[in-house]
Amino acid sequence: MSLNKVMLIGNVGKEPDVRYLDNGVAVASLTLATTERGYRLQNGTDVPERTEWHNIVLWKGWAEAVEKYVHKGDKLFIEGKIRSRSYDDRNGVKRYITEIFADNMEVLSSRNQANQASAPSASSSQSASAQVQGGKEDLPF
């Protein structure tokens, strides 16, 4: 038995990039920053805060929701799995990347913080979830 599950709460680092494949399937990518607060040890040593940057990939209905509702600075809850891959850059150097393929997303920012009229409703989130789960066989990996 094995388990590959990630849950993150963090802030979007820049405007999401949403693209549409030739067959009309939406794919969104964004960066999410998670920060551990700094603290002081009992011996007086200060441990600074630490920020990790995560590459998030969302497909189909979730990607369309990202396009409509998610912006730089928004706080998100992301649930998904870790995927690693490699590619050759323009100079032929092999590069490695680790991504979080999201199965679930929730916008945690308030309407005022998100500068949007409203976040996705539960029914649109559920329908997007059904679209994502129902169409996994169409994913190109």
Side-chain angles (χ1 to χ4, degrees), residues 24-57:
V25 173
V27 182
S29 58
L30 58 92
T31 57
L32 192 76
T34 57
T35 302
E36 295 178 44
R37 290 187 181 192
Y39 56 94
R40 178 169 289 156
L41 298 174
Q42 288 181 346
N43 66 7
T45 304
D46 285 328
V47 178
E49 75 176 20
R50 179 183 172 114
T51 300
E52 292 287 336
W53 288 93
H54 309 277
N55 299 306
I56 311 296
V57 178

Side-chain angles (χ1 to χ4, degrees), residues 67-71 74 110-119:
E67 185 174 40
K68 291 178 185 175
Y69 302 108
V70 176
H71 299 282
D74 286 348
S110 70
R111 290 183 193 178
N112 293 337
Q113 290 172 332
N115 293 325
Q116 289 294 317
S118 65

Side-chain angles (χ1 to χ4, degrees), residues 1-7 79-83 103:
M1 176 196 247
S2 63
L3 176 66
N4 181 353
K5 184 144 185 112
V6 176
M7 291 190 284
E79 186 175 14
K81 56 187 146 293
I82 297 175
R83 295 268 172 97
D103 297 324

Side-chain angles (χ1 to χ4, degrees), residues 3-9 32 55-59 62 77-83 99-106 132-133 136:
L3 176 66
N4 181 353
K5 184 144 185 112
V6 176
M7 291 190 284
L8 301 169
I9 295 176
L32 192 76
N55 299 306
I56 311 296
V57 178
L58 301 104
W59 289 87
W62 288 120
F77 166 75
I78 296 287
E79 186 175 14
K81 56 187 146 293
I82 297 175
R83 295 268 172 97
E99 299 167 313
I100 308 300
F101 276 58
D103 297 324
N104 191 16
M105 174 190 74
E106 187 172 333
V132 170
Q133 292 178 357
K136 285 186 178 179

Side-chain angles (χ1 to χ4, degrees), residues 78-108:
I78 296 287
E79 186 175 14
K81 56 187 146 293
I82 297 175
R83 295 268 172 97
S84 299
R85 62 182 171 89
S86 64
Y87 64 95
D88 293 329
D89 69 8
R90 294 178 188 161
N91 300 322
V93 177
K94 189 177 235 36
R95 302 286 181 177
Y96 297 91
I97 187 167
T98 301
E99 299 167 313
I100 308 300
F101 276 58
D103 297 324
N104 191 16
M105 174 190 74
E106 187 172 333
V107 178
L108 301 177

